[in-house]
C-alpha cells in the first residue's frame, strides 16, 4: 500500500492506495505520526483508492483517534468504498470516526468549524 | 474442493485474499460479502501467525485453508476450515470480547480482529486434533442477480 502526503493551507491530506493489512498498517501509522507533528489542525484521509482493510489497519485509525483528540486535531476520513465502509460499520466505527463521502464534504466540515 | 496453504508470514496474506476472492467471484457472490468472508478468513490466519512460536522453525509448516461453497437458491452457505500447527490452542469461546469504545479508549487493538470475525462468522467451532488447531465456521452470502438475496443474515450482531 502507498500513503501519499499532501499539505494544504488548511489541512494535511493522506491518500491511501491499495490494501491496508498487517504488512502495511505501519506505513499509515508512520504517516499519521508525521501529520500530528505538522501541527495542522485538520487531518484528512483519502480512502478513494483503499481497496481493502483488516484489523491492523483499523487499529491505526482507532489508536490515532485518541491522539488527534488530545492534540485537538480533527480527523476526517472520506471516499470509503462500500465494502470498506461495511467493515467500519460492523464495528460501529462509523459512529466514532468522522466519515464523509467526498473531499468537498470534508472541506465543508473544515470551513464550518472555522466560522 | 478449493484449498490453499500459506506459510506463517504476513506477506502471505495477499495470496490468501486472492484465493478467497477467486473462489467466490465465479459464484457471483455479492462483492461486499466476498470482502467480509475475506476479512474473516484473514483474521483467523493473522491470529495464527501472530501467536505462532517465533523461535520455532516454521519453514516446513503451513496454515491450510479450505472453502466449501454450497449454493442454496438466492444465497450460498460458505463453509470454511482453517488448520494450523501452533502448539498453543486458541479458542474464541475463552476470549473476553471488549467493545469497540473500550478498544479506542485503551488502545487494546488486539481485539478488533476477533470482534470482526465474530460479527461475520456463524457456526464457529475451534478444536485441537492430531496436534493441529482446527477452526471451522460458515457464512451465508447473497448471490447477485437472484431474487431474495437481500434477505441474507450476514453480518450479525
Amino acid at each position: 500500500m502507498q500513503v501519499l502526503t499532501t499539505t494544504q493551507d488548511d489541512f494535511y491530506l493522506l491518500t491511501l492506495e491499495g490494501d491496508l493489512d498487517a504488512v502495511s498498517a505501519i506505513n499509515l501509522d508512520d504517516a499519521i505520526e508525521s501529520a500530528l507533528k505538522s501541527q495542522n489542525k485538520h487531518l484528512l484521509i483519502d480512502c478513494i483508492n483503499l481497496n481493502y482493510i483488516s484489523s491492523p489497519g483499523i487499529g491505526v485509525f482507532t489508536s490515532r483517534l485518541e491522539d488527534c483528540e488530545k492534540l485537538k486535531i480533527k480527523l476526517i476520513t472520506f471516499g470509503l468504498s462500500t465494502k470498506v465502509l461495511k467493515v467500519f460499520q460492523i464495528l460501529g466505527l462509523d459512529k466514532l470516526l468522522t466519515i464523509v463521502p467526498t473531499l468537498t464534504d470534508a472541506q465543508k466540515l473544515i470551513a464550518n468549524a472555522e466560522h | 474442493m478449493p484449498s490453499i496453504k500459506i506459510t506463517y508470514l504476513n506477506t502471505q496474506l495477499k495470496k490468501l485474499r486472492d484465493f478467497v476472492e477467486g473462489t467466490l467471484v465465479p459464484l457471483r457472490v455479492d462483492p461486499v460479502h466476498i470482502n467480509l468472508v475475506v476479512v474473516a478468513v484473514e483474521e483467523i490466519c493473522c491470529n495464527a501467525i501472530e501467536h505462532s512460536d517465533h523461535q520455532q522453525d516454521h519453514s516446513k509448516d503451513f496454515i491450510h485453508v479450505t472453502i466449501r461453497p454450497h449454493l442454496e437458491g438466492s444465497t450460498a452457505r460458505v463453509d470454511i476450515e482453517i488448520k494450523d500447527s501452533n502448539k498453543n490452542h486458541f479458542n474464541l469461546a475463552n476470549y473476553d470480547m471488549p467493545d469497540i469504545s473500550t478498544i479506542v479508549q485503551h488502545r487494546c487493538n488486539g481485539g478488533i480482529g476477533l470482534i470482526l470475525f465474530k460479527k461475520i462468522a456463524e457456526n464457529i467451532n475451534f478444536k485441537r486434533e492430531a496436534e493441529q488447531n482446527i477452526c471451522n465456521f460458515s457464512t451465508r452470502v447473497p448471490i447477485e442477480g437472484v431474487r431474495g438475496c437481500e434477505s441474507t443474515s450476514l453480518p450479525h450482531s
Side-chain angles (χ1 to χ4, degrees), chain B:
Chain B
M1 66 199 76
S3 64
I4 190 174
K5 58 180 186 179
I6 61 167
T7 55
Y8 285 77
L9 294 167
N10 283 329
T11 49
Q12 295 274 294
L13 295 174
K14 172 71 175 137
K15 179 179 160 186
L16 176 70
R17 294 196 290 271
D18 290 344
F19 161 71
V20 178
E21 191 174 344
T23 302
L24 298 180
V25 164
L27 303 176
R28 295 189 294 130
V29 175
D30 165 68
V32 171
H33 287 78
I34 289 179
N35 186 60
L36 295 179
V37 178
V38 171
V39 168
V41 172
E42 178 165 322
E43 294 300 347
I44 293 300
C45 291
C46 216
N47 196 55
I49 292 168
E50 190 181 335
H51 293 99
S52 63
D53 180 355
H54 296 288
Q55 307 299 321
Q56 190 184 330
D57 177 16
H58 279 297
S59 59
K60 292 176 184 170
D61 294 335
F62 297 94
I63 300 169
H64 295 260
V65 178
T66 305
I67 300 180
R68 298 182 190 87
H70 307 274
L71 291 174
E72 295 172 350
S74 61
T75 64
R77 193 187 79 236
V78 184
D79 294 334
I80 294 158
E81 182 172 85
I82 301 172
K83 290 183 182 177
D84 73 71
S85 55
N86 282 341
K87 286 177 183 167
N88 295 328
H89 174 52
F90 174 80
N91 190 334
L92 190 68
N94 300 331
Y95 185 79
D96 190 17
M97 202 75 66
D99 65 43
I100 195 68
S101 55
T102 306
I103 284 173
V104 172
Q105 201 175 357
H106 298 289
R107 294 165 169 261
C108 47
N109 292 337
I112 296 173
L114 296 174
I115 294 175
L116 261 178
F117 173 72
K118 207 171 174 184
K119 296 259 184 188
I120 297 168
E122 295 174 334
N123 306 314
I124 302 165
N125 183 42
F126 287 85
K127 61 186 175 186
R128 187 161 175 88
E129 269 181 15
E131 297 187 344
Q132 286 198 308
N133 300 307
I134 304 170
C135 170
N136 290 99
F137 66 95
S138 65
T139 63
R140 186 165 295 281
V141 293
I143 303 296
E144 283 188 319
V146 180
R147 283 177 64 86
C149 69
E150 62 278 358
S151 64
T152 178
S153 62
L154 194 166
H156 55 90
S157 56

